[in-house]
Amino acid sequence: MPSLTAWKVPASAQPRAEDYSFDLDHVLTSVVGLHSIIPGDAFTADTLGVERAGNGVVIDHGLVLTIGYLITEAETVWLHLGDGRIVEGHALGFDQDSGFGLVQALGELDIDPMPIGSSAAASVGDRVVVGGVGGRERSVAAQIAAKQTFAGYWEYLLDEAIFTAPAHPNWGGAAMISEAGELIGIGSLQIEREHSGRDEHLNMIVPIDLLKPILEDLRKFGRVNVAPRPWLGLYSAEIEDKIVVVGIAPKGPAARAELKTGDVILAVRGEKVSSSEEFYRKYWALGTAGVDVPLTLYRGGDTFDVELVSSDRNKFLKKPRMH
């Protein structure tokens, strides 16, 4: 089982305890390492891998919040604590819409939970700490660079994601900590943008306010207890104001309807779409999982209509085994 490796964030990027009004070292003890094993025949094994590692944050007694892709279909989850202990965990729940995942520790963590703050109260320019397991040496003193809509190629949309810079090198499940020492987001991705003529790396952070209305459902049911959104099983990219299919999930609705990589999506139910955000919002507005989604496509010089029977993405995933 891999242990924590001996890397460090460059000293110039590490947070300094004296720069914060809260006990930074104590708050960072709430961040744990997370290592999960996924069966080779799992739906997400090819895209996300069979071994995944990142961070999580203790938010209640034995309850760890992380980014969901680290634990989706996990058969085994191990929590690596900052003091070297390793505790087994159970993948308790995952929310497709926000991207949050929950792990229940199966042994005593003996770690104080990190207090939860308000991501809505955070502003561009605010100083934050993006905390990884291992304390200040594995954490980054960052600033909020942007708060804006984020559309992911895997049928994912956040109304207001948070972007921080400089980027944390081990961002998955990392804690975004406010100047009040509270958890205000969970690390999801690293992205690049051009800024003042040079490439800049940012972390995309899922805001903590999205957790508050769904936390009890995730704890009780392992998912949010509402009818799921329709899922088409395609990966798309915005290329010159066009939505281009760049991948197809095996056995999903798009595969069944014989969509192909390179197809351009022109319209949903006759209404033109020119951005991923527009595309997602239009077909999600048609109803819940199972609804028919009529698309207009362009392929090889031809424009044609096709109807996809949407699915519930969760039905394609393996259920975590109980211990």
Side-chain angles (χ1 to χ4, degrees), residues 58-64 104-105 107-111 113 219:
V58 179
I59 59 166
D60 200 350
H61 182 71
L63 189 69
V64 174
Q104 180 66 52
E108 186 57 53
L109 294 183
D110 196 25
I111 291 173
R219 292 179 85 151

Side-chain angles (χ1 to χ4, degrees), residues 38-211:
I38 285 80
D41 61 346
F43 186 72
T44 58
D46 286 347
T47 49
L48 297 174
V50 294
E51 203 162 335
R52 304 172 198 164
N55 306 279
V57 186
V58 179
I59 59 166
D60 200 350
H61 182 71
L63 189 69
V64 174
L65 177 66
T66 187
I67 198 69
Y69 61 73
L70 292 177
I71 61 163
T72 301
E73 302 185 280
E75 193 171 61
T76 309
V77 178
W78 297 100
L79 300 171
H80 294 247
L81 312 188
D83 61 8
R85 287 180 297 139
I86 297 171
V87 174
E88 193 171 358
H90 167 66
L92 188 62
F94 173 39
D95 175 43
Q96 299 282 3
D97 295 355
S98 66
F100 285 130
L102 278 185
V103 173
Q104 180 66 52
L106 298 176
E108 186 57 53
L109 294 183
D110 196 25
I111 291 173
D112 287 339
M114 192 178 294
I116 290 178
S118 161
S119 46
S123 303
V124 172
D126 283 3
R127 292 188 318 161
V128 292
V129 174
V130 181
V133 61
R136 277 184 279 148
E137 292 184 339
R138 297 193 184 176
S139 300
V140 171
Q143 275 192 314
I144 296 178
K147 291 178 85 176
Q148 62 192 54
T149 303
F150 173 79
Y153 63 86
W154 62 97
E155 301 181 58
Y156 176 76
L157 182 69
L158 292 179
D159 290 337
E160 191 177 73
I162 302 174
F163 297 86
T164 60
H168 194 294
N170 184 23
W171 57 84
M176 183 171 81
I177 303 164
S178 72
E179 289 194 86
E182 296 173 329
L183 180 66
I184 55 171
I186 291 287
S188 175
L189 297 171
Q190 180 171 287
I191 64 163
E192 252 183 71
R193 72 168 181 180
E194 199 178 295
H195 187 62
S196 305
R198 62 185 182 85
D199 285 340
E200 179 181 47
H201 292 277
L202 304 176
N203 288 140
M204 191 280 275
I205 309 274
V206 181
I208 201 67
D209 291 359
L210 295 179
L211 178 69

